[in-house]
């Protein structure tokens, strides 16, 4: 049921494997509520339309990348090396993991042994400092992390927050942060239900629109 694609993340091949299926990085939007009780969020609706369009055309919608995302991608190898040095854990890089049974996929920043995953977030100093002060993984990342654990069947994920500093100021970098997140079966159950409902709606809407415009 699980298929692993060995490709570089954010490349054309990586995007092609994600066409038309919900991915862990967007699970938070599937769980979000709208302004009125029981209504889906605007973010969920937009994501639904994006995936319907991908399923209809077979073409991945390229994700807009701002300067923060690009900077994060550039810093990720350094963060991964720092994590391996600090923990003595060997990280295996992975491109995209697709669970055919669940109809969803994820792109963890690495696998560790038989049970672990790695998720790296590179942050500006003020945001990273907030993580250090709270000594917790920010709640906005939990759906993605628990979703990755659900799809891969693994038991834990090491969350890493790594601070960005401009070139030439590396001596002023704040210390890195590592927090191990274990499977939360109740949370995973909510994700599973949300993905199932989302996929059912996604498939029905896709068929309806295909019949309307391409029959």
């Amino acid at each position: 049921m699980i298929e692993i694609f060995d490709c570089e993340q954010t490349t054309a091949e990586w995007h092609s494997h994600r066409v038309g299926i919900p991915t862990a990085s967007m699970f938070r939007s599937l769980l979000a509520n709208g302004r009125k009780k029981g209504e889906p969020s605007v973010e969920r609706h937009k994501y639904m339309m994006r995936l319907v369009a991908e399923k209809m055309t077979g073409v991945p919608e390229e994700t807009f990348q701002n300067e923060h995302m690009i900077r994060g991608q550039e810093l990720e190898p350094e963060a991964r090396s720092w994590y391996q040095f600090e923990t003595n854990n060997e990280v295996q890089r992975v491109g995209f993991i697709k669970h055919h049974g669940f109809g969803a996929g994820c792109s963890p920043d690495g696998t560790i042994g038989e049970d672990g995953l790695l998720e790296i977030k590179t942050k500006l100093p003020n945001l990273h400092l907030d993580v250090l002060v709270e000594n917790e993984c920010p709640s906005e990342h939990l759906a993605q992390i628990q979703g990755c654990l659900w799809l891969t069947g693994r038991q834990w994920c090491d969350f890493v927050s790594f601070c960005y500093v401009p070139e030439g100021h590396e001596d002023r970098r704040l210390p890195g942060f590592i927090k191990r997140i274990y499977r939360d079966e109740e949370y995973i159950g909510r994700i599973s239900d949300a993905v199932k409902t989302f996929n059912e709606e996604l498939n029905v809407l896709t068929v309806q629109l295909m019949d309307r415009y391409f029959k």
Side-chain angles (χ1 to χ4, degrees):
M1 282 191 179
I2 295 178
E3 188 173 6
I4 300 176
F5 299 95
D6 185 16
C7 58
E8 287 292 326
Q9 295 185 13
T10 74
T11 61
E13 181 184 355
W14 180 79
H15 280 293
S16 71
H17 295 308
R18 296 158 51 92
V19 169
I21 65 169
T23 58
S25 61
M26 293 297 293
F27 284 173
R28 185 184 178 200
S29 69
L30 271 59
L31 296 172
N33 294 317
R35 290 186 176 180
K36 293 183 179 179
K37 187 175 181 180
E39 283 189 354
S41 66
V42 173
E43 185 179 5
R44 182 183 186 274
H45 174 74
K46 289 181 178 180
Y47 189 47
M48 174 77 71
M49 292 300 101
R50 170 183 157 186
L51 294 190
V52 169
E54 289 186 352
K55 288 172 76 69
M56 291 178 69
T57 65
V59 179
E61 183 177 310
E62 297 294 331
T63 302
F64 173 75
Q65 292 188 326
N66 58 36
E67 61 177 310
H68 300 302
M69 296 171 67
I70 294 172
R71 186 167 57 222
Q73 291 170 8
E74 293 173 346
L75 193 59
E76 186 178 301
E78 184 179 348
R80 186 182 293 106
S81 295
W82 171 82
Y83 168 82
Q84 291 185 121
F85 177 79
E86 290 291 318
T87 64
N88 203 33
N89 288 333
E90 183 177 352
V91 178
Q92 298 294 325
R93 296 187 63 183
V94 62
F96 185 66
I97 299 174
K98 186 174 184 178
H99 196 299
H100 293 278
F102 296 151
C106 62
S107 300
D109 292 318
T111 60
I112 304 166
E114 297 296 324
D115 296 322
L117 295 175
L118 178 66
E119 187 62 42
I120 298 170
K121 301 297 182 185
T122 57
K123 295 178 178 288
L124 292 173
N126 64 309
L127 299 177
H128 180 71
L129 186 60
D130 194 41
V131 174
L132 294 178
V133 170
E134 295 297 326
N135 194 35
E136 292 290 346
C137 171
S139 60
E140 61 262 30
H141 303 313
L142 292 178
Q144 180 179 6
I145 290 172
Q146 291 294 336
C148 286
L149 293 174
W150 170 53
L151 292 170
T152 61
R154 290 178 174 248
Q155 299 303 309
W156 53 266
C157 176
D158 276 350
F159 167 78
V160 170
S161 181
F162 201 69
C163 182
Y164 166 79
V165 292
E167 186 175 351
H169 296 270
E170 288 81 4
D171 62 326
R172 305 300 293 178
R173 188 193 304 277
L174 291 165
F177 175 85
I178 303 171
K179 189 78 170 185
R180 181 156 296 184
I181 309 297
Y182 290 93
R183 287 178 68 96
D184 182 334
E185 297 300 340
E186 182 179 354
Y187 200 143
I188 286 174
R190 290 172 54 207
I191 293 173
S192 175
D193 290 344
V195 170
K196 182 180 178 181
T197 300
F198 183 86
N199 275 334
E200 289 172 350
E201 295 175 16
L202 174 64
N203 292 332
V204 168
L205 185 55
T206 300
V207 170
Q208 290 175 344
L209 294 176
M210 288 289 288
D211 286 344
R212 181 185 301 177
Y213 296 112
F214 295 111
K215 191 171 183 180

